[in-house]
Each structure stands twice: as structure tokens, then as C-alpha cells.
Amino acid sequence: MSTPYFRFKQFTIYHDRCAMKVGTDGVLLGCWAGANHVPLGHLPCTILDVGTGSGLIARMLMQRFPEAEVEGIDIDEAAVEQARGNGVNAYLSSLQEWPNHKPQITNHKYDLIVSNPPYFQNSLKNPDKGRELARHTDSLSYEELLAHSARLLTMHGQLAIILPADAEQEICNLAARHSLYLTHVTRVYSKESKPPRRVLLQFEKSESQNHGITESRPLEDTLVLEDDKGGRSTAYQELAKDFYL
């Protein structure tokens, strides 16, 4: 039987009531999102985690940006309750309806929105309803994720997501329709000898494609997760050094 929790340096995440458990994708996004805010000194004041699940990414961002207001939303009631138990301000809501489920705020905007979204668009459905909702785009398409993120972002606010590597071009094309322009892309390889398996993408909301992008091109880099012995690479260890035990 798998353990019901995952222990990090500063907090523990219980995930026994969630469809999706603590995994590498969530840890990567939690470490990576908003990183370019730090050297610029423009730390996000408001952060939204879309599809928060256990609250893993939200908790990581609470640690990295302790002065920020961090909220999570999810359409799975059990996940929302678990995220709350893990210390996250979590709400039962879809992105499409947010913040209608928080009536005291009618025009809330975010400096940073993060999402480890459902991405299996054409694969067979899982018989477990919770995992189906968490892993398929029926409940939140790429188009809806981008459109509603653009609606909720402050001007020059950022959207950070992690997706399968082969979805990169599709997402970038859709994002531009909503005035979201790519500023940073990290292609993630499990091993150096293999094709990239994931891509971390950060977009900025802007009226101009050139705003904040040096010479109109995004920052591009790579991350290899495993070393030659199958352990965490030096680069991955450095990225996650404040979290992994």
C-alpha cells in the first residue's frame, strides 16, 4: 500500500484523497513558476493554482513567495478538502466559473496563475472518475485554460504550465490569440539521450508581443532529470533543493 503522504523539507502533503498523487510534474512547476520574478524584484502578490489537487504546487509557492496571497481551485470536492487540510486556501470551482464561487470578490486579478492541467486529449478514459477528471481535457480544454487565465491575469501577469512536450506549438499558437506571449520555455528530458517528455511554459499577458521579451524571443533552456546512474541530476537537485529532503 502506498504512503498517504509525501514529506518535504518544510511541509507534508497528504494525497490519499486525491486522484492525482504528488509527482515530478507538480514539483517541477512549483519550483519553476515565477522564477524570473525574483531577480527583477517584482514578486507576485496574488497567485492562483488551477486544478490544485492536493495543494502541492500552491504550498510550494506559499513557501517561495511568503508574502503573496495564494489560492487554489479544483472541481473535485475531495481534493479541495484535502488541499485545505494541507494548509491551502482552496475553493470548489472550475476556472470557467471563478471567482463566481467567491462572491465577496467580483474583480479579482492575479499576478501569477499556475496549472498542471489535464492533458490527455485523445486517450482512452480511465474508469476511475476522479483520475479521469484530473487527466483529461474534457473539463478544461487548452483553449479554456488560456482564455480564462487571460481574463484573470493582471497586465504583465504570468501564466506558468507544464505539458507534454509535443503540445508546445499548439499551446503557443492558442496563447497568442489571448494576448499571452511566451517569455520562458524549459524542455524537460528524463535522460539526456531521450526526446523531451515535458515542457514548462511561461506566458505574459501583454498588449504587445515584444513586451518583456529580449529581442522578441523567449528565454529557452533545458532540464535533464536523471544522471547516468538513474538518480536526480545535479541540475534537478539544484532546482528542488529547497523542497526535497
Side-chain angles (χ1 to χ4, degrees), residues 101-120:
H101 291 304
K102 194 178 180 185
Q104 65 270 33
I105 295 179
T106 58
N107 190 32
H108 200 52
K109 299 287 185 178
Y110 296 91
D111 299 318
L112 176 63
I113 295 176
V114 297
S115 185
N116 178 10
Y119 49 74
F120 293 112

Side-chain angles (χ1 to χ4, degrees), residues 29-103:
L29 185 59
C31 293
W32 183 89
N36 61 333
H37 279 289
V38 177
L40 296 175
H42 303 310
L43 301 183
C45 295
T46 50
I47 300 173
L48 179 66
D49 179 17
V50 178
T52 194
S54 65
L56 166 65
I57 297 169
R59 278 304 307 263
M60 295 179 74
L61 294 173
M62 289 165 64
Q63 178 179 319
R64 291 180 54 213
F65 305 111
E67 301 301 318
E69 176 189 353
V70 181
E71 298 174 325
I73 58 173
D74 204 291
I75 59 173
D76 183 340
E77 187 173 0
V80 170
E81 291 177 358
Q82 182 125 72
R84 289 172 179 169
N86 286 326
V88 175
N89 290 327
Y91 300 87
L92 184 64
S93 176
S94 66
L95 178 62
Q96 296 92 325
E97 296 176 321
W98 186 254
N100 293 344
H101 291 304
K102 194 178 180 185

